[in-house]
Amino acid sequence: RVIYIILDLITSISLISTQNYYTSEPKKKRLSKLERSKMSIEYPLNEIVIGLLLGAGHIQRRSLNDNSRFIYGQSSLRKHHFNYFNHVFELFQPYLSEDFKIKERSFIDKRTTQKYCSINFATLSLPCFNLYRNLFYSSEKIKIVPANIQKLLTPRGLAYWIMVDGSIQNKGLHLNTYNFTNEEVLNLKRTLENMFVDIAK
């Protein structure tokens, strides 16, 4: 039953990709402090951000006095990867500067002479991203799993995490958690177990 639930989640993302979750109209490039303070992360983007941050998403804050910005990138851009990147990019359109352009980069692996491409975007630095910076980063600026991840991760967030860092291995689903500590991985394991128990009820 758990496998079917996971497959349903992955399928739902394909359907979600045809929808827009804008919470406001795109803003002009230079925002006043008041305009920045009024911007917020609303449902369902608040759930999606959690899943993205467990994967390839990042929150950058240059100093304690600055606001934070969300950064997302992908590499090895096959067609379906690029479509998913565009979907995520559209979700964050309201938080980008008006003249923002997606950044592309290519490089050649000297060992294999294989050419690789990557693509990324970064939002404006806004107060609404500070919460996620505080949740997902330690005082040493290391990315962590929030201690209360069980309250934060929803089926929708899990679906986006799977799309970013999930793969099918043998007969199961593999999620990339190599950058997290053993304790954090165990916390994620308990979170997923409890989530599927709740769904199955």
Side-chain angles (χ1 to χ4, degrees):
R1 179 176 174 81
V2 172
I3 293 176
Y4 289 131
I5 293 172
I6 292 175
L7 291 175
D8 285 344
L9 286 168
I10 295 173
T11 302
S12 70
I13 288 296
S14 299
L15 299 175
I16 289 171
S17 295
T18 64
Q19 304 176 25
N20 291 325
Y21 289 119
Y22 294 175
T23 57
S24 61
E25 293 298 320
K27 301 292 183 178
K28 59 186 179 181
K29 183 178 180 181
R30 301 297 296 180
L31 299 176
S32 67
K33 286 186 177 181
L34 180 60
E35 288 174 318
R36 288 173 181 264
S37 67
K38 287 184 176 181
M39 297 192 73
S40 60
I41 310 295
E42 304 293 342
Y43 173 85
L45 189 57
N46 60 332
E47 295 185 359
I48 294 170
V49 169
I50 298 299
L52 294 176
L53 287 174
L54 287 172
H58 296 277
I59 299 288
Q60 183 185 70
R61 176 188 275 169
R62 299 186 185 279
S63 74
L64 291 176
N65 295 324
D66 290 335
N67 288 316
S68 305
R69 64 176 182 168
F70 177 82
I71 301 173
Y72 180 78
Q74 285 184 200
S75 57
S76 182
L77 293 174
R78 300 172 183 172
K79 183 177 180 180
H80 61 284
H81 291 163
F82 189 73
N83 289 341
Y84 179 70
F85 176 88
N86 278 337
H87 167 61
V88 175
F89 177 71
E90 288 180 0
L91 294 177
F92 288 88
Q93 282 280 1
Y95 309 94
L96 303 174
S97 60
E98 190 177 56
D99 59 350
F100 180 84
K101 294 182 180 180
I102 293 175
K103 298 176 182 178
E104 298 184 39
R105 177 174 172 264
S106 62
F107 60 93
I108 296 177
D109 188 325
K110 294 181 180 180
R111 298 171 300 173
T112 63
T113 68
Q114 180 76 30
K115 184 178 180 180
Y116 293 92
C117 298
S118 64
I119 190 168
N120 69 82
F121 70 85
T123 68
L124 294 166
S125 295
L126 299 166
C128 57
F129 290 113
N130 291 340
L131 168 65
Y132 299 98
R133 173 70 189 192
N134 295 335
L135 281 172
F136 278 88
Y137 289 83
S138 68
S139 57
E140 290 78 27
K141 301 181 180 180
I142 297 174
K143 193 176 183 183
I144 62 173
V145 174
N148 64 336
I149 190 63
Q150 188 168 331
K151 295 182 179 180
L152 300 172
L153 186 63
T154 64
R156 178 179 280 107
L158 173 59
Y160 277 84
W161 183 22
I162 290 172
M163 292 296 290
V164 172
D165 268 346
S167 61
I168 299 297
Q169 293 192 8
N170 297 321
K171 295 182 179 180
L173 173 70
H174 175 84
L175 284 167
N176 184 350
T177 58
Y178 298 120
N179 291 328
F180 299 132
T181 66
N182 289 338
E183 183 179 350
E184 289 170 337
V185 172
L186 288 175
N187 191 7
L188 286 169
K189 178 176 178 289
R190 289 190 295 269
T191 298
L192 295 178
E193 289 172 343
N194 291 335
M195 179 185 294
F196 288 122
V197 167
D198 290 339
I199 292 175
K201 288 181 179 179

